[in-house]
Amino acid sequence: MLRLPPLWFRKGIYVEFRNEKDALVFAEFINGSILTCEKLGLKAEKRKTLFIYRWECLDFSDNLAKLKITIEFILVEENISLNISTCVFVDVNSRDVYSVNGTPCGKTTLWLSTKLKVGDTVLFGYPGCYVEGEVTDMGYALKTPYGYQKCFEVEFDTGGYVGVTYGNKTYNWVLWNWLDYDLDTGILLQTPNFMGEATLYVLGILQIPAIMLIYETNVDLGPSLIWPQILNITFFVLPPAVFFTVVFLCGLLAS
């Protein structure tokens, strides 16, 4: 049966993620090395670090997309940044990622099918050590820069060490992650560490250990949910209203 790509997928689309919390570690590589502030000649004590991960479709034909992947690490207070970028090819339907020379890199986590339901499984991970993820929740609301979006969650965990091969060497890692996806488009909205992401495998990066939330995109995620916003407003407005009502009633009784 012919599988069609997502309706929103086209040349020129992009999605950018940013972290929301301070972090000291820049990136952890598959070979075990860690990029830190110290390796840039700086002290790592309480430094505000901004992580940016962005993917952009440069070309799209016959379900094969050429993506530009950009990662930027910014020390905000010092205004110092490190930029890493590469290009990969992705089969949009199977989510298989390939380097520019055709080397298999695994399956991307950047989007999933919108036809999944709770209990369904999907594959993540790298060549030779794919991980089966499970849809664990569906229909909840997640706050994003585009308002509250209805989402579904997928989790995976190897439960033990698996061999991740990179550069003709094999390294033992536990692969785990939870991921929040937009229910209408299937686009990834939030992840705690980008572990198991095949577009980072090309760069030898195992994970970016920070909660990454969608920051900007030109893909239409659909209208935001109204009821979570109403609940938030009610939460902050109702207590003072109740207080003044009680004071008003007490005043009436005292008179």
Side-chain angles (χ1 to χ4, degrees), residues 131-173:
V131 185
E132 194 172 74
E134 181 179 351
V135 180
T136 58
D137 197 1
M138 186 162 290
Y140 59 94
L142 176 67
K143 187 177 181 180
T144 75
Y146 297 92
Y148 285 89
Q149 298 295 325
K150 188 174 290 188
C151 303
F152 66 95
E153 184 173 271
V154 180
E155 299 179 3
F156 65 83
D157 190 345
T158 56
Y161 290 100
V162 294
V164 179
T165 300
Y166 183 80
N168 297 322
K169 291 185 179 181
T170 300
Y171 307 88
N172 292 324
W173 290 102

Side-chain angles (χ1 to χ4, degrees), residues 232-251:
N232 274 351
I233 294 173
T234 302
F235 177 79
F236 287 105
V237 173
L238 188 56
V242 171
F243 172 78
F244 287 115
T245 300
V246 171
V247 171
F248 175 75
L249 292 177
C250 289

Side-chain angles (χ1 to χ4, degrees), residues 57-131:
C57 181
L58 302 181
D59 197 12
F60 181 47
S61 178
D62 296 329
N63 294 331
L64 189 66
K66 183 179 183 180
L67 304 185
K68 180 180 181 181
I69 306 299
T70 304
I71 305 168
E72 190 171 7
F73 309 105
I74 302 172
L75 294 177
V76 179
E77 297 174 357
E78 294 79 6
N79 195 28
I80 297 175
S81 65
L82 173 65
N83 187 289
I84 304 173
S85 64
T86 189
C87 287
V88 297
F89 290 99
V90 183
D91 184 312
V92 177
N93 286 331
S94 67
R95 302 174 14 256
D96 289 326
V97 178
Y98 303 90
S99 67
V100 290
N101 61 10
T103 302
C105 300
K107 289 184 178 290
T108 185
T109 64
L110 297 177
W111 61 83
L112 288 179
S113 169
T114 57
K115 297 180 180 180
L116 296 170
K117 59 183 183 298
V118 173
D120 284 351
T121 58
V122 288
L123 286 181
F124 298 106
Y126 312 119
C129 57
Y130 287 111
V131 185

